[in-house]
Amino acid sequence: MAAATAGGLFAALYLAAAVNGSWAEVLHAILAWGFVAALLNWRRFPTAAGAGGVLLSWAWAGVAIAELPRNLGFSPFALTVPFFVYSAACFVRSPWWRSGILFGYLIYCVASPLSWVYTPEGMVYPALPQAASMVLLQWLVLFVVFQVGRGQRLHVQRQVELAEARDVAERERQEANRERERSLIAREVHDILAHGLTLINLQASAGLVSFAEGQNHEVSHALATIRSIRVDALGEVRTIVKTLHADSSQGFVARITNIDSQLQRFRDAGLHLETRPPAPDRMTQLSERLPMLTQLAIHRVIDEALTNVIRHQGASSCVNLTVEASAAVITLRVESWAGGEPHREAVGSSSGLISMSKRVEDLGGVLAHAGDRAYFTVVATIPTGDVASIREENHGAGTGFGA
């Protein structure tokens, strides 16, 4: 805006001089207002302003040459040349237009006011060596100005590209978070419903057999167990819904100190469970120190492992459950010996083992399993906090199983 204001002042002076002046002075006054229009629009329409500046400069030089040897004076609008070159290099999008505007001004330098010598007799063109040096000096200045504008344009482009890259990275991060949340929700719903429905189906089948044999007490026990499982499962599903509304994952988690109540459901289903947990005070410490997702993983691994025992080894199987805790890791070992007939709907898809392994690996842990229907062992090693520390301790655990 300042350049346009200064140009307007000079244009007003040229207009005043053209009132009683020659045709050349009238043309210069008209061209001066053309420069003002170009200066007003150099930022909004940089291509048109730059190209217009080239044409106006050529026209101004042509009028001055036509009046030779008369000296029409130094044109202040010659100072707009570096301005429009910078504007073209910085703001013109098309490389062809940028190059064209620069090339047009390089040609103009040959006839610019700076290339002439002003003498008492009028304007004369200097000898070739002096003329060449003046033209080369102008070209050097314009090349420097052009490179400065180009550097500014590239800097702005890099900033825009970095901002776009940050936006893309943020969108990808949000999408990855949403995908992890969907995976977590799907896994939680699967674990809750699959384990609960397996136990309900087992108890329902036992209840039907007891009813057919007239064992009313066993029927009542089976129905009570079904009701307890249903209440627990619905409670966990409601917890998930509340957690989603609260935008927090802590609602999914049952603390490690609640393992006994978790195991009672499987005892009610017929499993012969022997447990070797840490001491009660140690369990309390773990409950307070372990991340909530780690405690959730322990609960889900136990659920999945014991449900698989019922499905594939029978509801009367014997199970030893051992929980060992060190400073770096918690090791969960489930050993099972087949008892009775497998659940008739067991399909052997290994989806339970895959789910357990994925859950443990997400926390930086390792899940190993081995055996057959008669005897099966699952060993889960989960870091208590430092994910990297599991590798060293896992090598010394000596599980002897392949993942």
Side-chain angles (χ1 to χ4, degrees):
M1 194 62 176
T5 302
L9 294 175
F10 284 113
L13 295 177
Y14 275 101
L15 183 61
V19 173
N20 296 314
S22 64
W23 67 272
E25 292 169 332
V26 172
L27 286 179
H28 273 178
I30 296 173
L31 293 175
W33 285 106
F35 276 110
V36 173
L39 290 171
L40 283 173
N41 294 281
W42 72 273
R43 186 63 183 88
R44 183 182 304 176
F45 306 108
T47 303
V54 171
L55 297 177
L56 290 169
S57 298
W58 284 357
W60 192 288
V63 172
I65 292 173
E67 282 291 284
L68 290 176
R70 181 188 173 193
N71 183 3
L72 296 178
F74 180 80
S75 169
F77 294 104
L79 301 177
T80 64
V81 174
F83 182 82
F84 284 123
V85 169
Y86 174 84
S87 173
C90 190
F91 300 112
V92 173
R93 296 182 179 179
S94 170
W96 294 102
W97 277 107
R98 288 197 298 268
S99 302
I101 292 171
L102 175 62
F103 185 72
Y105 275 120
L106 294 179
I107 296 176
Y108 164 75
C109 289
V110 177
S112 76
L114 297 177
S115 299
W116 294 84
V117 176
Y118 298 90
T119 66
E121 293 79 17
M123 292 177 61
V124 297
Y125 208 73
L128 183 60
Q130 183 180 357
S133 64
M134 292 301 298
V135 171
L136 289 175
L137 179 61
Q138 295 176 74
W139 283 1
L140 176 63
V141 171
L142 293 185
F143 273 120
V144 170
V145 171
F146 187 84
Q147 290 302 319
V148 171
R150 176 177 176 272
Q152 179 64 21
R153 174 172 52 81
L154 294 178
H155 174 72
V156 172
Q157 286 180 352
R158 283 194 295 269
Q159 295 301 314
V160 172
E161 291 171 356
L162 287 175
E164 292 176 349
R166 284 193 295 268
D167 291 341
V168 170
E170 178 63 18
R171 288 195 295 270
E172 291 178 349
R173 185 188 67 81
Q174 293 177 356
E175 180 60 30
N177 287 339
R178 285 192 291 268
E179 183 61 31
R180 282 194 294 270
E181 290 171 358
R182 286 193 291 266
S183 177
L184 176 61
I185 293 168
R187 189 164 56 195
E188 293 305 313
V189 171
H190 165 269
D191 288 347
I192 292 170
L193 295 182
H195 305 152
L197 291 177
T198 297
L199 295 178
I200 288 174
N201 195 12
L202 179 66
Q203 291 296 318
S205 300
L208 288 174
V209 173
S210 299
F211 179 77
E213 296 176 354
Q215 299 176 1
N216 294 333
H217 175 72
E218 296 296 331
V219 173
S220 298
H221 177 73
L223 292 176
T225 302
I226 290 173
R227 182 180 184 278
S228 175
I229 295 170
R230 177 188 65 82
V231 170
D232 291 344
L234 289 177
E236 292 190 67
V237 172
R238 290 192 185 99
T239 299
I240 291 178
V241 174
K242 290 179 181 178
T243 301
L244 293 176
H245 287 302
D247 193 24
S248 168
S249 64
Q250 294 186 357
F252 290 167
V253 181
R255 291 190 176 273
I256 194 173
T257 49
N258 298 331
I259 286 180
D260 285 340
S261 60
Q262 175 190 14
L263 297 179
Q264 188 57 46
R265 292 186 304 168
F266 292 95
R267 289 191 176 98
D268 293 340
L271 286 181
H272 302 285
L273 269 167
E274 294 290 338
T275 60
R276 288 192 290 272
D281 57 341
R282 178 61 172 155
M283 291 288 281
T284 302
Q285 292 175 359
L286 291 172
S287 176
E288 295 173 352
R289 185 169 63 90
L290 285 179
M292 299 300 283
L293 287 179
T294 301
Q295 298 188 54
L296 172 62
I298 293 171
H299 271 266
R300 295 303 183 225
V301 169
I302 292 174
D303 270 344
E304 189 64 54
L306 296 183
T307 301
N308 283 344
V309 171
I310 293 175
R311 285 175 175 169
H312 302 290
Q313 294 180 286
S316 300
S317 299
C318 296
V319 179
N320 282 343
L321 172 64
T322 304
V323 180
E324 299 175 346
S326 68
V329 296
I330 282 187
T331 301
L332 181 68
R333 181 187 298 269
V334 181
E335 297 179 277
S336 55
W337 293 263
E341 292 298 322
H343 197 282
R344 62 182 181 182
E345 295 184 2
V347 294
S349 64
S350 298
S351 61
L353 291 172
I354 294 173
S355 175
M356 282 193 290
S357 180
K358 181 66 168 63
R359 186 184 291 276
V360 172
E361 289 172 0
D362 285 347
L363 296 174
V366 175
L367 186 133
H369 56 85
D372 51 25
R373 180 185 174 275
Y375 172 78
F376 202 82
T377 303
V378 175
V379 179
T381 309
I382 305 173
T384 58
D386 183 7
V387 173
S389 66
I390 187 176
R391 303 301 175 190
E392 179 179 355
E393 182 138 346
N394 188 58
H395 284 305
T399 59
F401 300 110

